Amino acid sequence: MRNNITYDKPFINGSGTIAVIDDCFKDSPSLLPDCPRIFIHASEENKTFDTVEEVIGKLIELEADRNTFLVGMGGGITTDITGFVASIYKRGLNFGLIPTTLLAQVDAAIGGKNGVNFDRFKNMAGTFCEAEWVYINPEFLESLPKRELLCGAAEMLKTFLIRDAKAYGEAVEYFSGPIRSIKELTPLIRRAVEIKCDIVSKDPLDRNIRHLLNLGHTFAHAIEKYDSCFLHGEAVAAGIIMAAQESVRLGLMEQDILEKIMSDFKAVGLPVETSLEMDLLQKAILQDKKREGGKITLVLPIKIGEAVLWDSSVTV
Ligand SMILES: NC(=O)c1ccc[n+]([C@@H]2O[C@H](COP(=O)([O-])OP(=O)(O)OC[C@H]3O[C@@H](n4cnc5c(N)ncnc54)[C@H](O)[C@@H]3O)[C@@H](O)[C@H]2O)c1
């Protein structure tokens, strides 16, 4: 993985650039230089081939060619769609990303994975394609609703649960205490980005160690399939708890660590359970894209700051 993260505003040449923007920024035209804009509505229902086709149709109307530079600005849905379109339009355009949610800044926009949902299965089609740059500016988070901020907190806590117990404790303190400024969150954003970049650089095509970043996601994708009330980050939080419970069941983690993680997540305001039936989740998990050779590789936390990959024969 190339080092494509920047905390300084990149130069964007208005001519030759087309921006794909989350429509929540429709009334904020000054954020980008004067260039054609394609607005998309960010929702999981819209993260589909239909939207990809719409964007491609507009690129054709705008006569975009292989020299066109795409800029994707918005949350993870917008950055995933922009990366996917950029990787396939005329066999590939260069692109940059401006993630504007916490979840996209610490996770979705980093590492070159993109994609869309299919038949309500998450991210069933996509590519690996690195952006030229990813511009991270925590100031965008000032306007983010609390619920969306907490979704980002879930992915951030996931990253720290895998790799950094100290940062995990600081993040729990930040999100569970009295409201603090976004500025105070910046060092934790940078730390989460640093960990993700380090893991991705060791396994850019997601063949082995990068699977660790899927902590909670096997369960989360199943939850999202059947319960549209859960936002992605919320499903990840509940999924992490399910993974931790499985870890305890297998004797890999102490019960008191599970209880601490649950109480931390509750204090932060994240869901720790779902009302869905286990056999329904199991059915969705079986169809999850991580299923390989009749096995599912689960990511299981074994203590705060460390997780392992565990080949399960679907006992979940
Ligand atoms: N590619 C990857 O590696 C990867 C990793 C993690 C998650 N994801 C994907 O990311 C998606 C979730 O991303 P998300 O949580 O950012 O969702 P999102 O893109 O839907 O954004 C969440 C909401 O916040 C709004 N929003 C965006 N920026 C805002 C701002 N600055 N102020 C106010 N509102 C703003 C959006 O309009 C939307 O309503 C999922 O589809 C998930 O699969 C991808």
Side-chain angles (χ1 to χ4, degrees), residues 13 76 79 84 116-117 186 216 219 316:
N13 187 349
T79 57
F84 188 42
V116 292
N117 306 330
T186 303
F219 299 101
V316 286

Side-chain angles (χ1 to χ4, degrees), residues 70-305:
L70 274 197
V71 172
M73 178 172 159
I77 289 178
T78 307
T79 57
D80 271 8
I81 290 174
T82 306
F84 188 42
V85 169
S87 75
I88 59 173
Y89 183 79
K90 296 209 170 186
R91 299 196 177 85
L93 302 182
N94 287 337
F95 67 105
L97 296 176
I98 307 179
T100 60
T101 62
L102 178 60
L103 189 145
Q105 293 191 350
V106 299
D107 201 351
I110 305 170
K113 274 209 241 178
N114 59 54
V116 292
N117 306 330
F118 187 83
D119 193 21
R120 303 208 52 159
F121 288 105
K122 287 277 300 176
N123 304 327
M124 287 304 278
T127 65
F128 288 90
C129 189
E130 281 278 357
E132 291 296 301
W133 47 255
V134 180
Y135 170 45
I136 295 177
N137 181 350
E139 281 176 26
F140 284 119
L141 310 182
E142 302 283 0
S143 56
L144 206 58
K146 172 99 192 267
R147 189 175 174 200
E148 296 293 350
L149 192 71
L150 289 185
C151 283
E155 295 279 16
M156 185 185 251
L157 290 169
K158 171 207 76 179
T159 303
F160 295 150
L161 271 173
I162 297 166
R163 265 290 177 84
D164 189 335
K166 181 168 168 282
Y168 172 85
E170 289 167 5
V172 169
E173 202 185 308
Y174 177 92
F175 289 107
S176 59
I179 295 174
R180 286 157 65 184
S181 71
I182 288 296
K183 209 170 169 199
E184 288 176 78
L185 185 61
T186 303
L188 289 169
I189 293 175
R190 285 184 176 237
R191 179 66 186 133
V193 169
E194 183 180 44
I195 294 172
K196 175 146 189 191
C197 288
D198 180 56
I199 293 175
V200 170
S201 70
K202 293 182 172 121
D203 178 23
L205 295 182
D206 202 9
R207 303 264 185 233
N208 41 71
I209 184 184
R210 186 170 176 175
H211 292 345
L212 287 174
L213 290 164
N214 289 333
L215 174 59
H217 282 63
T218 299
F219 299 101
H221 290 170
I223 294 169
E224 284 178 280
K225 178 166 166 62
Y226 292 110
D227 193 341
S228 54
C229 294
F230 272 79
L231 296 176
H232 177 69
E234 294 167 342
V236 168
I240 290 171
I241 299 301
M242 292 174 85
Q245 284 165 336
E246 183 66 0
S247 190
V248 171
R249 198 185 68 78
L250 290 164
L252 299 172
M253 191 171 80
E254 302 292 335
Q255 173 74 21
D256 59 345
I257 301 179
L258 165 65
E259 280 163 19
K260 173 167 172 38
I261 298 172
M262 281 180 85
S263 106
D264 289 343
F265 277 30
K266 280 185 194 160
V268 165
L270 287 168
V272 293
E273 60 192 358
T274 156
S275 55
L276 294 170
E277 295 291 331
M278 205 49 184
D279 53 350
L280 199 62
L281 290 178
Q282 196 168 326
K283 195 175 138 217
I285 288 169
L286 279 169
Q287 289 162 307
D288 188 277
K289 66 189 185 317
K290 284 167 214 79
R291 183 180 180 214
E292 279 170 14
K295 281 184 182 168
I296 292 169
T297 302
L298 289 177
V299 188
L300 301 179
I302 54 171
K303 62 181 186 184
I304 293 174

